[in-house]
Amino acid sequence: MGPMLTALLQLQAIERQLTHVRGRLKTRRGAVNAQEKRIEQLTADHQGLLDKALACRKDADRRELDLKEREAQSQKLRTSLNTTKTNKEYAAILTQINTLKADNAKIEEEVLKMMADVDAVKAQAGKVQETIAAETQRLSVLQTASQAEIDKLNAMLADLTAKRADAAANVPREPLAVFDRIVEANDGEAMAVIEVQGRRPPFEYTCGGCYMSLNAEHANALRTRDELRTCNNCGRILYMEIKTETSDK
């Protein structure tokens, strides 16, 4: 294998390490972000429950005020019974009193149910608040551990970035541009070995990146020339390991 392809393989090895470190960084930062979002959602849920409890309590207060007004009306009607002059008038007032009494009983049940709902929602909010406290503590631990790991990974990233620059300096400009473009398109994998099948000629060749068949022309050229050849299917830069081909005698 010629110096250009050898240099590209060295660059590829560093690129793989860079991709791995970047992936670990993303995972670490993602874990903290996910925990922060969970706490934000829990906080929103908690506030929603408090708002619901407040609205329910206001409804209960309005119904209680309505009940007091109806009870006062009922009391006036009872007082007026003493001043009625006819049985018909007495019966009419008594019917109003009984109707108010029945309606008031329903309102009292509604108010009791509303207050029970308020207590239930407040209890639910209390449990959510406890969860928020636990998740906040977990976030603190996660941030401390993650920051130490992130600092370590950033140092590795800086070291690998410097090594990549040194390795890239050994690659001619045009092949390097092709390599960088393919790296970007294939998540850090720009090169693929030509895999050889068969114990004697004619051999069959496949791309080690996409496992699609290759023309023998690629293998024949790379046995003798240090040139840039790419897979017709995935576009990765091809290289040969000559020792993979053997013949029986």
Side-chain angles (χ1 to χ4, degrees), residues 33-218:
N33 292 337
Q35 184 66 7
E36 289 174 342
K37 288 181 180 179
R38 172 168 170 73
I39 292 173
E40 287 176 6
Q41 183 60 55
L42 286 168
T43 302
D45 293 344
H46 181 257
Q47 186 59 51
L49 289 169
L50 293 181
D51 293 342
K52 181 179 179 180
L54 179 61
C56 191
R57 181 54 194 262
K58 287 181 178 180
D59 287 342
D61 289 343
R62 283 192 291 268
R63 296 300 280 164
E64 283 185 325
L65 180 60
D66 183 34
L67 182 61
K68 289 179 180 178
E69 292 175 350
R70 295 171 70 89
E71 287 176 345
Q73 182 182 357
S74 180
Q75 185 59 43
K76 288 180 181 180
L77 288 171
R78 290 192 186 92
T79 301
S80 66
L81 283 175
N82 298 324
T83 60
T84 57
K85 297 178 181 180
T86 66
N87 289 337
K88 182 178 180 180
E89 184 181 358
Y90 185 91
I93 293 174
L94 187 60
T95 298
Q96 291 182 29
I97 291 173
N98 289 335
T99 300
L100 282 171
K101 183 178 180 180
D103 291 343
N104 288 350
K106 292 180 181 179
I107 294 174
E108 286 177 351
E109 289 180 3
E110 290 177 3
V111 170
L112 288 174
K113 184 179 183 304
M114 287 178 178
M115 295 307 297
D117 289 343
V118 169
D119 291 340
V121 172
K122 283 185 175 180
Q124 189 177 355
K127 290 180 180 179
V128 174
Q129 184 62 51
E130 291 175 0
T131 303
I132 290 173
E135 293 297 331
T136 300
Q137 179 62 30
R138 182 184 173 193
L139 174 62
S140 179
V141 173
L142 184 61
Q143 285 174 326
T144 300
S146 292
Q147 191 56 55
E149 181 69 9
I150 287 171
D151 290 343
K152 176 183 175 182
L153 290 171
N154 277 329
M156 293 172 63
L157 189 64
D159 180 60
L160 287 170
T161 300
K163 289 180 178 178
R164 189 192 191 282
D166 290 341
N170 296 322
V171 181
R173 185 175 62 181
E174 291 186 8
L176 180 61
V178 174
F179 177 90
D180 289 340
R181 175 176 54 78
I182 300 173
V183 158
E184 185 69 23
N186 289 282
D187 195 25
E189 290 292 331
M191 302 189 70
V193 66
I194 295 179
E195 296 182 349
V196 185
Q197 286 82 41
R199 298 181 63 83
R200 60 170 61 90
F203 299 109
E204 294 182 357
Y205 304 96
T206 57
C207 171
C210 64
Y211 307 109
M212 297 296 290
S213 296
L214 293 171
N215 294 329
E217 176 189 356
H218 289 302

